[in-house]
């Protein structure tokens, strides 16, 4: 739906300094453009729970991080994001790939479609579902609203393949 | 490793670090180390990670180290917590912050839940040998690794270790204290985070 250049430009325009990420086939295609951006630093971690903690440290250190993961990684993230977002109340923003939302050819009946949005609701993460390229600006708008409110948030990006 | 290991008291090991740290260092402590650090006196740049998500202290330290490259960041983690987030060793060396020191206080047990052995400690393992944290750190790519079982040796070396270019890994063999309690949060975490960020970003590093 979005190219790496588009996403790198979007993150830069949002004032993001560090993108903490584990790739999937959609997000991974954005990594080269993020790495090539002079205004962004890509921080690779080994599991998604780490991503929230690294982002927490970056925020505490004065940076403006963003967590970039797939929804399966959101499931893995549980206790770490609970601690970061709700104990320490850090306003970390995430961009989360929504596996199989647009196409279930590879994984018919993918349970990501069952659990992703209820899990975001359960963790009280205010998110916007992005299903078309025309909504790209909505990511920034939601980010700015969360930043100004000092609250966490997420953009849930519909993905077309597993 | 098999057989008994010489172990120093954790509180003494941390007292040595407390004396050696600079005022502008950020010190992150978890679990039993957080409890002991608060006894010694946590400064405005210190993060006793209470409440925590067990295992995340090195990752938080990595983030602060990347955001504040001019400032030393020292993480004191436990072995149970380290086992929960071994990938952080690799994430740290991938980013390669020269200002990050990861200290692993290894007592072989989950001390604050009743001193049950970790899966990495010799008594809990089928082959009776403890896992090799030093080997893990080396294999993960830490620039320098050190191990101390004796308080006097640690005290003699701590200054040069903290001054070296990192990322640095230090294993301290410490004794468990049976019956010891877990750390208590010194206050609501949200306001503490705001204060810590203010000090880290405003105090000269």
């Amino acid at each position: 739906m979005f190219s790496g250049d588009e996403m790198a430009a979007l993150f830069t325009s949002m004032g993001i300094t560090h993108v903490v990420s584990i790739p999937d086939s959609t997000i991974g295609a954005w990594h080269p453009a993020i790495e090539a951006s002079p205004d962004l630093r890509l921080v690779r971690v080994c599991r998604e729970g780490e991503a929230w903690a690294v982002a927490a440290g970056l925020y505490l250190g004065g940076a403006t991080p963003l967590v970039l993961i797939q929804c399966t990684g959101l499931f893995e993230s549980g206790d770490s994001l609970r601690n970061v977002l709700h104990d320490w109340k850090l306003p970390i923003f995430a961009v989360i790939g929504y596996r199989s939302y647009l196409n279930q050819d590879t994984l018919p009946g993918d349970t990501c479609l069952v659990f992703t949005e209820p899990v975001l609701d359960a963790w009280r993460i205010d998110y916007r579902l992005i299903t078309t390229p025309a909504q790209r600006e909505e990511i920034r708008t939601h980010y700015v609203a969360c930043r100004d409110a000092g609250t966490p948030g997420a953009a849930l990006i519909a993905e077309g393949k597993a | 490793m098999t057989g008994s290991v010489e172990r120093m008291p954790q509180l003494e090991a941390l007292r040595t670090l407390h004396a050696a740290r600079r005022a502008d260092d950020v010190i992150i402590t978890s679990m039993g180390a957080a409890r002991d650090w608060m006894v010694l006196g946590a400064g405005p740049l210190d993060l006793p990670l209470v409440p925590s998500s067990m295992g995340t202290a090195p990752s938080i330290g990595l983030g602060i180290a990347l955001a504040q490259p001019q400032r030393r960041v020292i993480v004191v983690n436990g072995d149970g917590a380290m086992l929960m987030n071994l990938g952080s060793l690799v994430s740290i060396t991938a980013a390669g912050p020269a200002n990050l020191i990861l200290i692993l206080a290894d007592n072989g047990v989950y001390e604050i839940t009743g001193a049950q052995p970790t899966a990495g400690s010799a008594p809990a393992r089928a082959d009776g040998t403890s896992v090799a944290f030093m080997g893990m750190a080396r294999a993960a790519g830490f620039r320098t690794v050190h191990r101390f079982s004796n308080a006097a040796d640690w005290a003699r070396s701590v200054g040069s270790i903290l001054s070296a270019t990192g990322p640095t890994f230090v294993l301290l063999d410490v004794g468990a204290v049976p019956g010891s309690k877990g750390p208590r949060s010194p206050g609501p975490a949200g306001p503490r985070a705001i204060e810590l960020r203010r000090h880290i970003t405003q105090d000269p590093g």
Side-chain angles (χ1 to χ4, degrees), chain A residues 11 16-21 34 40-44 66 68:
Chain A
F11 296 159
I16 298 299
T17 58
H18 296 74
V19 178
V20 189
S21 183
I34 293 168
L40 299 171
R41 177 163 181 181
L42 179 65
V43 182
R44 294 183 172 87
L66 179 138
L68 178 61

Side-chain angles (χ1 to χ4, degrees), chain B residues 14-70:
Chain B
L14 292 182
R15 185 175 286 116
T16 296
L17 177 64
H18 199 268
R21 63 89 55 94
R22 294 193 306 234
D24 61 344
D25 291 338
V26 174
I27 314 283
I28 302 163
T29 49
S30 73
M31 308 304 283
R35 174 201 60 214
D36 289 351
W37 194 258
M38 287 188 280
V39 169
L40 295 168
L45 291 172
D46 296 351
L47 175 60
L49 191 57
V50 189
S52 73
S53 173
M54 190 171 174
T56 59
S59 304
I60 293 173
L62 171 59
I64 296 176
L66 291 175
Q68 293 278 318
Q70 80 291 358

Side-chain angles (χ1 to χ4, degrees), chain A residues 24 69-76 96-99 112 116 156:
Chain A
D24 67 3
I69 57 177
Q70 194 191 53
C71 58
T72 51
L74 170 71
F75 306 150
E76 197 281 331
I96 300 170
Y98 198 166
R99 193 177 77 179
C112 285
T116 298
L156 187 57

Side-chain angles (χ1 to χ4, degrees), chain A residues 18 41 43-47 49-50 52-64 79-84 87-90, chain B residues 47-54 56 59-60 62-64 66-68 84-85 87-88 90-91 95 189-190 192-193 196-197 200-201:
Chain A
H18 296 74
R41 177 163 181 181
V43 182
R44 294 183 172 87
V45 291
C46 297
R47 69 178 184 89
E50 265 194 276
W52 297 92
V54 172
L58 285 161
Y59 179 81
L60 291 170
T64 307
D79 190 55
S80 181
L81 79 81
R82 176 200 59 78
N83 181 242
V84 167
D87 287 342
W88 293 94
K89 304 191 186 311
L90 303 184
Chain B
L47 175 60
L49 191 57
V50 189
S52 73
S53 173
M54 190 171 174
T56 59
S59 304
I60 293 173
L62 171 59
I64 296 176
L66 291 175
Q68 293 278 318
M84 285 195 178
N85 194 8
S88 65
V90 176
S91 302
R192 289 169 54 211
L196 178 64
R197 188 171 194 260
I200 289 177
T201 57

